[in-house]
Amino acid sequence: MSGKAKYPKIVVTPPGPKARELVREDESYISKSMVRWYPLAAESGSGCIVKDVDGNEFIDFNSGLGVLNVGHCHPKVVSAITEQAKKLIHYSYTDFYYRSIVDLSRELTKITPGSFSKTVFFCNSGAEAVEAAMKMAKWHTRNNLFLAYTGSFHGRTLGAVSLTGSKPVQRRHFFPLVPGVTHVSYPYCYRCPFHLSYPECHLWCADFIEEEVLGKYVPPENVAAMFVEAVQGEGGYVVPPEDYFARLKKILDKHDIIMIDDEVQSGIGRTGKWFAIEHFNIVPDAVCVAKAIGSGLPIGALISKSELQDWEGGSHASTFGGNPVACAAGVAVIDVIREERLLENATKQGAHLMTRLKEMQRKYPIIGDVRGKGLMAGAEIVKDPEEKQPNPEMVEEILIKCFKRGLAIITAGKSTMRFAPPLIITRELLDSGLDVFEGVVKEVAGSGK
Ligand SMILES: Cc1ncc(COP(=O)(O)O)c(C=O)c1O
């Protein structure tokens, strides 16, 4: 690419001395359940750049796990947080009233799909939004069964992890979970569980749910809801065929099953639309959000058709849910996405990202599949393009090498590199990050074509 890029900037090979010291201290306190990708010890962040404690500046291709869609410390978000913090930091919405929660509710009901009347429940995280959705569906329908996908990720609390189906470690030794969840195959065409090909398959994976699951062993009249990720996140950045969700929604509607769309990772503009489900032209009955809405402050929300939240007062609540400061951040995030036309930028930069990843796929046989929507893209690394075995060892090597060269990137599924930079990313910075990635891929692949 053109000349020497300004970023990334490596002043000492990471982890430098200060990062190593921080990691040593951290290890003596922090729970062993945390598995860090590599020793990136963040000191500050601005836009798409994270600076570590030794002064290295990394291009952030993971947006702090899909949270920093408007970039690190966006000035308008910082200002909204500061102003709100000066006025009112907390006054639980479970019991009292305040302005910022109403403002955020109004904006969330505007941007979520569907022109029906909507109601918002606030909590503090993605898992809590999913828990709220589970409880809402149970209360409303008086049913106890759920459908969810293999490969899905809905969070770690006991209810949410009962739906989660992406890695055994997330469930090992935690049984019994919430009973009544049946997992069905996600439409993962690159690794079709039925060994079929789209479109000749005629979406058998959707019809299977009706014919085999609901038709044979899960009585549909006992199902409270089905949880879907419109683009599967932790499971590998998997994008279903474009007509899949329409077929599914028809099946669910026929059996009066609520569709709950978990947009915790794919939402708030990441895919070039406010919500990834909009790419599939259907309207879910409820949407779960968290991550990007608070730009780093903890907040989650369930936005549903009003009639679904007919639960009685006191059925469910959260002391910190919809905290005034987090809500002010949320309003600012939505404003910034609108003002800076970030949906358009995500679409534009996402198209460039896809073009470059596809070019790399043609050059390097270790890249088995490339897929995505907007700035939510995955490149699946395999041992052999014909056999398609996942290659987690190579992915580990790629991650570390990228880190050493100033690119913060992580993986999803067994061996998919995930590309999820902030929506504010410029073409230049995107290319700089992709140049680092390509340089590493070239090296680990041995050679290109
Ligand atoms: C789709 C999805 N749902 C739920 C969650 C859980 O969110 P949290 O970690 O905020 O509980 C995640 C987290 O990655 C997610 O990707």
Side-chain angles (χ1 to χ4, degrees), residues 314-373:
S315 313
H316 192 44
S318 155
T319 299
F320 293 124
N323 163 277
V325 184
C327 284
V331 173
V333 165
I334 293 173
D335 278 352
V336 168
I337 293 177
R338 284 198 187 109
E339 280 166 16
E340 299 185 13
R341 305 178 68 82
L342 297 184
L343 302 184
E344 287 86 338
N345 197 52
T347 305
K348 187 169 147 202
Q349 305 308 337
H352 180 64
L353 169 62
M354 199 48 62
T355 304
R356 281 209 59 188
L357 290 177
K358 289 215 186 267
E359 269 168 27
M360 288 184 218
Q361 184 186 17
R362 282 192 288 277
K363 286 202 252 175
Y364 311 105
I366 62 162
I367 302 182
D369 192 32
V370 167
R371 52 194 180 238
K373 291 270 180 212

Side-chain angles (χ1 to χ4, degrees), residues 147-374:
L147 296 176
Y149 284 114
T150 54
S152 65
F153 188 86
H154 297 289
R156 312 277 196 152
T157 50
L158 279 172
V161 85
S162 309
L163 301 170
T164 290
S166 76
K167 290 193 182 126
V169 67
Q170 293 154 353
R171 294 159 63 96
R172 188 172 292 129
H173 305 312
F174 296 132
F175 294 89
L177 302 175
V178 172
V181 179
T182 299
H183 286 90
V184 298
S185 297
Y186 196 76
Y188 187 174
C189 295
Y190 182 63
R191 298 186 183 282
C192 175
F194 300 103
H195 300 284
L196 297 172
S197 303
Y198 178 81
E200 294 75 36
C201 63
H202 300 294
L203 294 177
W204 170 237
C205 55
D207 290 344
F208 181 90
I209 297 171
E210 177 158 50
E211 289 179 30
E212 300 291 313
V213 180
L214 299 174
K216 293 193 174 154
Y217 59 99
V218 177
E221 65 279 13
N222 291 161
V223 178
M226 176 160 187
F227 282 78
V228 308
E229 285 171 273
V231 172
Q232 201 170 62
E234 302 301 305
Y237 276 36
V238 184
V239 184
E242 58 185 14
D243 48 349
Y244 174 82
F245 281 114
R247 175 83 60 92
L248 179 73
K249 184 74 171 101
K250 218 165 150 189
I251 296 169
L252 298 182
D253 283 349
K254 185 168 147 197
H255 296 285
D256 258 338
I257 297 173
I258 298 168
M259 181 192 266
I260 296 168
D261 174 26
D262 180 346
E263 295 267 0
V264 167
Q265 185 153 174
S266 56
I268 322 297
R270 167 123 324 268
T271 65
K273 296 195 185 278
W274 285 109
F275 297 97
I277 199 74
E278 294 173 66
H279 291 282
F280 300 92
N281 294 317
I282 60 137
V283 176
D285 303 300
V287 175
C288 295
V289 298
K291 286 192 187 281
I293 199 74
S295 204
L297 293 197
I299 185 165
L302 162 69
I303 306 106
S304 75
K305 284 182 172 162
S306 292
E307 74 227 36
L308 299 181
Q309 296 200 40
D310 56 353
W311 39 15
E312 62 194 320
S315 313
H316 192 44
S318 155
T319 299
F320 293 124
N323 163 277
V325 184
C327 284
V331 173
V333 165
I334 293 173
D335 278 352
V336 168
I337 293 177
R338 284 198 187 109
E339 280 166 16
E340 299 185 13
R341 305 178 68 82
L342 297 184
L343 302 184
E344 287 86 338
N345 197 52
T347 305
K348 187 169 147 202
Q349 305 308 337
H352 180 64
L353 169 62
M354 199 48 62
T355 304
R356 281 209 59 188
L357 290 177
K358 289 215 186 267
E359 269 168 27
M360 288 184 218
Q361 184 186 17
R362 282 192 288 277
K363 286 202 252 175
Y364 311 105
I366 62 162
I367 302 182
D369 192 32
V370 167
R371 52 194 180 238
K373 291 270 180 212

Side-chain angles (χ1 to χ4, degrees), residues 70-115:
V70 298
H72 289 258
C73 300
H74 192 290
K76 289 200 171 141
V77 176
V78 173
S79 156
I81 291 172
T82 316
E83 288 312 308
Q84 181 61 48
K86 282 190 213 156
K87 281 197 301 208
L88 183 75
I89 295 179
H90 171 77
Y91 213 61
S92 207
Y93 93 121
T94 54
D95 296 71
F96 303 104
Y97 299 89
Y98 46 85
R99 169 54 50 197
S100 60
I101 201 165
V102 176
D103 290 344
L104 181 57
S105 303
R106 189 182 51 248
E107 295 310 316
L108 286 174
T109 56
K110 269 195 224 159
I111 63 172
T112 40
S115 51

Side-chain angles (χ1 to χ4, degrees), residues 130-138 146 159-160 162-163 178 181 227:
V130 168
E131 294 285 338
M134 290 177 88
K135 288 177 77 175
M136 173 196 74
K138 275 179 177 253
F146 292 103
S162 309
L163 301 170
V178 172
V181 179
F227 282 78

